[in-house]
Amino acid sequence: MAYNAGTLNRAREAGVLHMEVFDGADCGWTSHQDPDKATGTLRTVEEAAAWPISHPRCGRALGPLPRPDVTVEA
């Protein structure tokens, strides 16, 4: 959570709107049962802040770099 919080804080400071999500292949956005699989997706900074992890001991990482190249809703 600390890694993701720091990444999101820095992204906001830089004006970045979207983050790339890295997670387990079976991990859903809000839980393992969520059919919306997280890994490899682009999410807004606000979405990423709402779900920095999806379950206890989650391995989700945002980044490793923000996506300043994405400027409109994907």
Side-chain angles (χ1 to χ4, degrees):
M1 292 235 354
Y3 171 84
N4 288 340
T7 301
L8 288 165
N9 286 339
R10 184 63 191 117
R12 284 184 184 113
E13 290 172 2
V16 172
L17 302 176
H18 293 83
M19 306 295 294
E20 189 165 359
V21 180
F22 298 90
D23 209 342
D26 293 327
C27 198
W29 183 241
T30 62
S31 70
H32 275 286
Q33 293 74 32
D34 188 342
D36 180 8
K37 300 304 180 195
T39 199
T41 62
L42 294 178
R43 305 289 174 143
T44 67
V45 170
E46 292 78 20
E47 288 175 306
W51 290 98
I53 63 172
S54 69
H55 56 84
R57 296 182 304 279
C58 184
R60 179 171 295 167
L62 303 171
L65 298 174
R67 294 293 304 264
D69 58 313
V70 180
T71 57
V72 296
E73 273 308 303

